[in-house]
Amino acid sequence: MTDTVVLSDLKARHRAMWASGDYPAVASELVHDLGEVLVDAAGVRPGQRVLDVAAGTGNAAVAAARRGADVVASDLTPELLDSGRRAAARDGLDLAWEQADAEALPYADATFDVVLSCIGAMFAPHHQDTADELVRVLRPGGTLGLASWTPSGFIGQMFATMKPFAPAPPPGAQPPPLWGDESHVRALLGDRVRDVRVETRVLPVTLFADGEAFRAWFADRYGPTIAVRRSLADDPERLARLDQALRDLADRHLDGGAMGWEYLVLTATRA
């Protein structure tokens, strides 16, 4: 539909945040399996028209394409789309990669049979705008599928740990892990969907030997962590406290080198 979007200052900062570090490594080494889980839950079939919103490098989009769906992977950050495009080409998969804002999708009403977002749209700052767009582009009878970190799970707690150290959010922005709260998402979607199905699942993570290994890996690769740490560049004492808090959080969750990261899978049918 479009290769460019007009970016506000807020959107430009979001794009730069996700382009920093190495999110493709996060997608491939940590959360790769979530795409297949979500595509399974949504029951994606050959020939369906599928949109992956805030696709990143396309974990869900690629899984849907492997099933023979006609897939569009959309994201605000073209650097992530470029990485996904290269990986999909190596696997011989043909899908579209298009820059788009989850809060203002450049697609006509009722265009897609399935609309997915795998730990992506949850990071758009205005939740109701995002939910409205997810529903708008889905045809009646089509399937919406969302995978989101929960507030009580490890990533939700990581964001809560970083919050006291982070700059104040812009007016109207809501915390990403609220998308992992079933009641919050049901309120966003309202009576525009039916047959809502919800399952809380746990992603096993064995990449980190201890809290310091986790802190260092995320400080180097994960955009939100990088952004908070950069905001503290002139305050080494607070930066040290943040780093220690992240170490402590990971150490509390590690058990023999393994953690479980809780997430919510929600599917629904457009009414």
Side-chain angles (χ1 to χ4, degrees):
M1 292 290 181
T2 180
D3 292 326
T4 61
V5 295
V6 177
L7 297 178
S8 67
D9 180 62
L10 173 60
K11 299 297 181 178
R13 293 200 306 271
H14 271 242
R15 171 181 163 176
M17 178 183 72
W18 289 109
S20 67
D22 187 2
Y23 190 78
V26 178
S28 62
E29 297 180 41
L30 283 176
V31 301
H32 177 270
D33 293 347
L34 296 185
E36 194 69 43
V37 168
L38 183 57
V39 166
D40 273 340
V44 173
R45 303 187 304 276
Q48 286 185 313
R49 179 83 163 142
V50 176
L51 175 66
D52 185 5
V53 178
T57 57
N59 284 353
V62 167
R66 285 200 181 100
R67 298 191 180 201
D70 179 11
V71 181
V72 176
S74 68
D75 198 275
L76 187 67
T77 306
E79 293 87 345
L80 301 185
L81 296 175
D82 289 344
S83 176
R85 183 185 292 110
R86 289 191 296 269
R90 287 194 296 269
D91 290 343
L93 295 171
D94 183 21
L95 59 156
W97 301 85
E98 298 176 353
Q99 188 183 13
D101 179 358
E103 296 180 358
L105 294 170
Y107 308 110
D109 296 357
T111 299
F112 297 94
D113 302 306
V114 181
V115 173
L116 305 173
S117 189
C118 184
I119 57 170
M122 65 179 290
F123 290 101
H126 305 107
H127 293 190
Q128 192 62 65
D129 291 346
T130 302
D132 292 348
E133 286 295 275
L134 295 173
V135 174
R136 180 184 65 78
V137 300
L138 180 63
R139 67 165 178 81
T143 301
L144 175 66
L146 305 171
S148 309
W149 302 120
T150 65
S152 59
F154 178 79
I155 296 297
Q157 291 184 39
M158 183 191 75
F159 276 95
T161 297
M162 293 194 299
K163 182 178 179 179
F165 300 92
Q174 293 177 281
L178 281 178
W179 281 89
D181 179 332
E182 178 184 350
S183 62
H184 179 71
V185 183
R186 283 182 178 271
L188 293 174
L189 299 174
D191 61 5
R192 296 172 297 177
V193 299
R194 56 179 171 82
D195 302 328
V196 177
R197 297 167 295 280
V198 176
E199 182 182 5
T200 300
R201 302 186 59 150
V202 174
L203 175 72
V205 174
T206 58
L207 188 61
F208 309 112
D210 55 28
E212 171 54 20
F214 162 80
R215 184 212 64 80
W217 202 91
F218 264 58
D220 189 49
R221 293 168 177 82
Y222 191 60
T225 307
I226 293 168
V228 175
R229 297 186 81 254
R230 282 178 177 169
S231 75
L232 300 173
D234 295 329
D235 194 340
E237 183 179 340
R238 290 190 73 215
L239 177 58
R241 293 206 305 271
L242 169 62
D243 284 345
Q244 188 58 53
L246 291 172
R247 287 188 201 99
D248 292 344
L249 174 70
D251 281 330
R252 288 196 301 272
H253 283 260
L254 279 162
D255 182 8
M259 286 191 279
W261 293 3
E262 185 181 84
Y263 62 100
L264 187 79
V265 177
L266 182 146
T267 60
T269 302
R270 167 114 191 240

